[in-house]
C-alpha cells in the first residue's frame, strides 16, 4: 500500500470537518488510520489553530476553525491547478 503524504491527510481531516464536528474515533476510522496515528495529526492541526477540540452532547468532538476553513479552501484552489487530473 502506498503511503499518503502528510499534507493530504491534513487536508482530508479538514475536509471531513467541513461537513460538521466529528469525534476522534469516527475521524480515525474515516481516515483509515489507527487511533494513535490519527491523534498525531489532530494534535498538529490543533497546534496550528486549524481545528479545535470541544464537546457536543457530552461527547468529545473536533471542529474546524475559521482559519482551517480558509486553509482548506486555499488548498482546493492550489490542488485544482496543480493536482493530478481525476477522470
Amino acid at each position: 500500500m502506498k503511503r499518503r503524504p502528510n499534507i493530504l491527510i491534513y487536508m482530508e481531516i479538514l475536509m471531513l470537518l467541513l461537513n460538521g464536528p466529528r469525534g476522534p474515533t469516527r475521524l480515525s476510522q474515516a481516515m483509515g488510520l489507527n487511533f494513535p496515528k490519527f491523534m498525531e495529526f489532530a494534535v498538529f492541526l490543533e497546534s496550528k489553530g486549524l481545528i479545535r477540540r470541544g464537546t457536543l452532547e457530552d461527547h468529545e468532538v473536533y471542529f474546524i476553525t475559521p482559519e482551517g476553513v480558509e486553509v482548506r479552501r486555499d488548498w482546493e484552489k492550489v490542488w485544482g491547478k496543480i493536482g493530478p487530473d481525476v477522470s
Side-chain angles (χ1 to χ4, degrees), residues 27-80:
L27 282 166
S28 68
Q29 291 170 342
M31 297 296 302
L33 297 170
N34 66 46
F35 192 78
K37 191 65 170 170
F38 166 76
M39 289 305 297
E40 289 177 29
F41 289 104
V43 166
F44 176 82
L45 289 171
E46 195 171 10
S47 75
K48 298 298 181 183
L50 302 178
I51 66 174
R52 69 177 174 81
R53 218 175 344 180
T55 58
L56 185 63
E57 298 176 2
D58 294 326
H59 292 92
E60 180 184 9
V61 294
Y62 283 99
F63 299 87
I64 191 167
T65 64
E67 187 175 355
V69 171
E70 185 179 329
V71 166
R72 177 63 198 181
R73 288 198 178 130
D74 290 346
W75 170 259
E76 288 174 10
K77 289 177 192 173
V78 171
W79 192 250

